């Protein structure tokens, strides 16, 4: 049962004194709210309606109940400005307190901004991914920090509860389609739903507090969790070495230009084509692609100018990594799978790219490329060698990552593999196993993110006096400032070049499926048939026509040889490279695993495909959820009626089948008068800021341009498609 806010009592002090940052409270404080979205149609505020969407040009959101947890007691109020009374009561200049909010950007826009304006508070220490998306900030006058728990877990509240607590979040007990205001009566069931959101969040944060001993020590983000764990494995001198590797501002920019990230694309000759029976592709996935790449030798020393010294580059290729600055002339892709990203191109003329942003041709185009990417470009593209200019080449000696880091990666991989689906455990043991599995999964997913952490992400702040977001000017002064900070930060765990090369190695491994491979030489062998038979690829997954088992056996033997060398050179435990699942199946690190053959397959571009397995149509479309949680009887795949012929460009997937909402920000909400679903008149006068959640449909993209490219390529070449 919740108590009304006027009964609020500050819990007993539970402080933790730090050496450098003063006193912090270890009490668990949580906050949540519920809102109603309204649209204005001909001067009337009413519920969203599909038929009125086109005519409604103003959208608002009002908060009709808020909930606040102080340890095990939950309070509530209806007017958001009453929450300020609790904040002033708990404020303590001598003890920093942290309030956790599940989705901080939502409550920031719907509650906190109005409180900041009304009380003339100031926001400091803002950490935000972008405007409107705070992860953490502090209200200076209150000495209270607000943090986002979604950034910490990476899971929605229901999934977080399942992973981190024994508490079950209430679901489907509050119909969001009904208009509610500040005086709309709420049923006991609805109040219980609101209370359980706070109870669930409280138990999640307790779990983290118990794990890290103090609230202050809880990482801010999911990646921060892994960063903190890795910091425990490396010593002070490891950090000193990483600080020494922070490059100059100009070279850091060069490395950023060479960073391409993962590669995701489809072979444009299969755009919109239905593949079935013998032509339906197999699926092959790399087991932990980025951690595998981190087992290889990577840039480990400051880069130095190589091309001006007259040295023979062939003698250095085994021991050094090279960064090329090059302008290609008359560049033309040889294959139907294009490699170079348009986003990385500089100073280009007459550049043509496919729909997914991969370069087909260019009269001239400038790139910064790792040696791995430069080699691939030379293999996959034709260009005029006499007109092409290599502006500079930089070199860095390659070494393995620190042995403690390698063991950290291997421990996470082997434990995750062994723990998955573990049977025969008691409930208490299973809870501990699940927690550990989630932690290991986070390690695997976050290590790559740590290696490519870009310290140049623009600083995002909120100016309360001006009521607007600001971003730091991206110039050399800003870059130098951030790099100077990185030279003494314990968050600097990797030389940025490490992440750049890790992704390049992972891309090179992935394209083995579309090029061909020689088991004897251990090198790529580009063959037209592999290019034509590669239908789709994304980061660590390949969809390929034909029977490829024998081919990938050769590839896997070569990868295993690479991993054995790393194991031997670093005196590591081979068992951690080859853990077994609970079902007794060996899962070697970096191997291509066969995930089965599709009965039917169709792609409309990058991260957009549909397939049939066991006669059932399934979707993978970026921006479309796998499952509609609002209505189990209407799922996204149902729109296509189990027929891939219906999966085509410009097909609309209605909101009713996805449950997908779009965010509409409004910082100038007027006085809103409306009638709630019970017939009560509602007037809201003091909620200027709001985030309206508007149902939205999804329309599959048009691939006409890709078909035009295909037609032209067929006309200009002798490619025979069979």
């Amino acid at each position: 049962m919740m108590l009304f806010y006027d009964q609020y009592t500050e819990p007993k002090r539970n402080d933790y004194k730090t050496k450098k940052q003063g006193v912090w409270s270890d009490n668990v404080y949580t906050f949540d709210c519920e809102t109603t979205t309204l649209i204005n149609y001909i001067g009337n505020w009413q519920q969203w309606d599909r038929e009125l969407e086109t005519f409604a040009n103003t959208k608002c959101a009002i908060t009709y109940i808020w909930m606040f947890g102080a340890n095990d007691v939950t309070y509530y109020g209806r007017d958001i400005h009453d929450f300020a009374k609790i904040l002033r009561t708990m404020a303590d200049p001598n003890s920093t307190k942290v309030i956790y909010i599940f989705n901080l950007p939502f409550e920031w826009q719907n509650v906190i901004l109005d409180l900041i304006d009304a009380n003339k508070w100031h926001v400091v220490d803002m950490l935000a991914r972008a405007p409107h998306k705070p992860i953490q900030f502090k209200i200076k006058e209150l000495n209270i920090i607000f943090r986002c728990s979604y950034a910490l877990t990476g899971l929605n509240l229901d999934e977080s509860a399942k992973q981190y607590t024994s508490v079950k979040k209430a679901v489907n007990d509050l119909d969001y389609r009904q208009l509610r205001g500040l005086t709309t009566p709420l049923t006991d069931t609805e109040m219980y739903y609101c209370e359980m959101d706070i109870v669930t969040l409280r138990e999640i944060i307790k779990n983290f507090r118990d794990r890290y001993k103090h609230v202050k020590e809880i990482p801010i983000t999911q990646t921060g969790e892994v960063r903190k764990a890795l910091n425990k494995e490396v010593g002070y001198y490891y950090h000193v070495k990483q600080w020494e590797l922070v490059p100059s501002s100009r070279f850091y920019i060069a490395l950023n230009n060479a960073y391409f990230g993962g590669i995701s694309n489809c072979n444009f000759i299969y755009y919109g084509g239905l593949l079935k029976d013998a032509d339906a592709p197999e699926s092959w996935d790399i087991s932990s692609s980025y951690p595998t790449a981190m087992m290889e030798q990577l840039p480990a020393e400051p880069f130095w100018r190589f091309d001006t010294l007259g040295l023979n580059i062939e003698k250095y290729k085994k021991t050094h990594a090279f960064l090329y600055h090059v302008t290609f002339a008359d560049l033309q892709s040889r294959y139907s799978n294009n490699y170079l990203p348009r986003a990385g191109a500089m100073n280009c003329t007459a550049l043509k790219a496919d729909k997914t942003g991969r370069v087909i041709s260019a009269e001239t185009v400038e790139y910064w490329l790792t040696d791995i990417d430069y080699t691939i470009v030379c293999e996959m593209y034709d260009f005029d060698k006499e007109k092409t200019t290599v502006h500079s080449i930089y070199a860095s000696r390659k070494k393995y990552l620190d042995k403690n880091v390698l063991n950290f990666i291997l421990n996470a991989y082997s434990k995750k593999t062994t723990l998955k689906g573990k049977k025969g455990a008691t409930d208490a043991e299973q809870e501990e196993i699940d927690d550990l599995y989630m932690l290991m999964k986070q390690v695997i997913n976050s290590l790559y993110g740590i290696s490519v952490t870009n310290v140049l992400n623009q600083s995002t702040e909120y100016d309360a006096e001006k009521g607007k977001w600001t971003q730091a000017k991206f110039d050399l002064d800003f870059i130098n400032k951030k790099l100077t900070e990185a030279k003494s930060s314990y968050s600097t765990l990797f030389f940025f070049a490490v992440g750049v090369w890790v992704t390049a190695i992972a891309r090179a491994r992935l394209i083995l499926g579309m090029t061909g491979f020689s088991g004897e030489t251990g090198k790529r062998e580009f063959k037209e048939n592999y290019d034509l038979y590669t239908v789709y690829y994304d980061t660590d997954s390949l969809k390929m026509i034909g029977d490829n088992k024998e081919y990938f056996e050769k590839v896997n033997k070569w990868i295993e040889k690479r991993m054995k060398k790393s194991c031997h050179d670093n005196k590591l435990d081979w068992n951690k490279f080859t853990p077994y699942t609970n079902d007794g199946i060996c899962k070697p690190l970096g191997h291509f695993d066969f995930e089965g053959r599709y009965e039917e397959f169709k792609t409309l571009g990058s991260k957009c495909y549909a397939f049939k397995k066991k006669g059932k149509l399934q979707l993978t479309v970026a921006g479309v959820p796998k499952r509609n949680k609002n209505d189990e009887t209407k799922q996204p795949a149902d729109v296509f009626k189990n027929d891939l012929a219906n999966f085509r460009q410009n097909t609309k997937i209605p909101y009713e089948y996805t449950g997908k909402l779009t965010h509409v920000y409004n910082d100038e909400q007027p006085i809103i008068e409306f009638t709630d679903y019970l017939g009560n008149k509602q007037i809201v006068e003091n909620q200027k800021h709001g985030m309206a959640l508007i149902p939205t449909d999804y329309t599959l993209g048009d691939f006409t341009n890709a078909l035009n490219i295909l037609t032209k390529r067929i006309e200009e070449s002798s490619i025979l498609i069979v």
Side-chain angles (χ1 to χ4, degrees), residues 582-622:
N582 189 56
D583 296 327
I585 300 173
C586 184
K587 300 283 286 185
L589 179 66
H591 272 212
F592 279 89
D593 295 328
F594 178 61
E595 300 295 331
R597 180 185 292 278
Y598 300 109
E599 295 156 15
E600 296 182 8
F601 186 90
K602 190 176 186 179
T603 177
L604 299 180
S606 175
K607 299 186 184 296
C608 184
Y609 60 88
F611 57 90
K612 271 190 178 181
K613 271 191 173 183
K614 297 182 179 180
K616 185 177 180 180
L617 188 150
Q618 300 177 54
L619 293 176
T620 295
V621 178

Side-chain angles (χ1 to χ4, degrees), residues 336-482:
S336 55
N337 285 294
N338 306 302
Y339 183 75
L340 281 169
R342 177 176 54 195
M346 302 180 294
N347 299 323
C348 55
T349 59
L351 185 146
K352 295 181 181 179
D354 60 31
K355 182 175 171 59
T356 57
R358 298 287 158 177
V359 174
I360 298 170
S361 63
E363 184 179 281
T364 60
V365 61
E366 179 184 354
Y367 277 99
W368 284 89
L369 298 170
T370 68
D371 46 8
I372 296 167
D373 293 309
Y374 181 76
T375 300
I376 293 172
V377 170
C378 291
E379 293 169 338
M380 293 189 72
Y381 289 83
D382 289 318
F383 54 89
D384 190 320
K385 293 181 173 59
E386 292 185 1
K387 293 181 180 178
T388 292
T389 303
V390 177
H391 303 288
S392 57
I393 303 174
Y394 292 85
S396 169
R397 182 175 291 278
K398 294 188 294 187
K399 295 180 182 178
Y400 292 105
L401 295 177
D402 185 277
K403 184 175 180 179
N404 290 326
V405 176
L406 296 177
N407 267 321
F408 185 82
I409 297 169
L410 289 172
N411 286 337
Y413 176 72
S414 60
K415 286 179 181 177
K416 180 181 79 77
T417 303
T418 304
L419 288 168
K420 188 173 184 180
K422 194 171 181 65
K423 302 172 183 177
T426 65
D427 290 344
E429 290 171 338
Q430 190 61 50
E431 183 177 348
E432 184 177 349
I433 288 170
D434 290 343
D435 283 349
L436 185 56
Y437 174 79
M438 278 302 299
L439 180 59
M440 295 304 105
K441 187 175 181 180
Q442 285 179 4
V443 170
I444 296 297
N445 292 338
S446 298
L447 274 168
Y448 160 70
I450 296 172
S451 72
V452 293
T453 296
N454 189 345
V455 300
L456 302 187
N457 286 332
Q458 293 189 7
S459 294
T460 303
E461 297 287 346
Y462 181 76
D463 189 326
E465 293 182 357
K466 295 181 180 179
K468 67 177 185 179
W469 290 90
T470 62
Q471 287 187 298
K473 184 179 179 181
F474 196 80
D475 55 19
L476 283 178
D477 288 340
F478 172 76
I479 295 171
N480 286 326
K481 175 177 178 290
K482 288 297 181 180

Side-chain angles (χ1 to χ4, degrees), residues 58-88:
T58 304
K59 303 171 178 69
C60 290
I62 62 105
T63 299
Y64 60 85
I65 185 172
W66 55 266
M67 299 79 69
F68 179 72
N71 287 339
D72 295 334
V73 184
T74 304
Y75 303 88
Y76 78 96
R78 303 301 295 269
D79 187 328
I80 61 172
H81 292 273
D82 290 330
F83 179 50
K85 299 173 184 177
I86 286 184
L87 291 175
R88 284 192 289 268

Side-chain angles (χ1 to χ4, degrees), residues 10 97 131 193 196 265 268 279 282 289 295 309 402 500 510 583-584 591 652 680:
E10 179 66 10
K97 295 175 181 177
Y193 176 95
M196 286 307 296
N265 208 345
F268 71 78
D279 291 331
E282 300 176 334
S289 179
M295 293 291 138
L309 300 178
D402 185 277
V500 176
L510 185 68
D583 296 327
H591 272 212
K652 180 187 290 186
N680 303 310

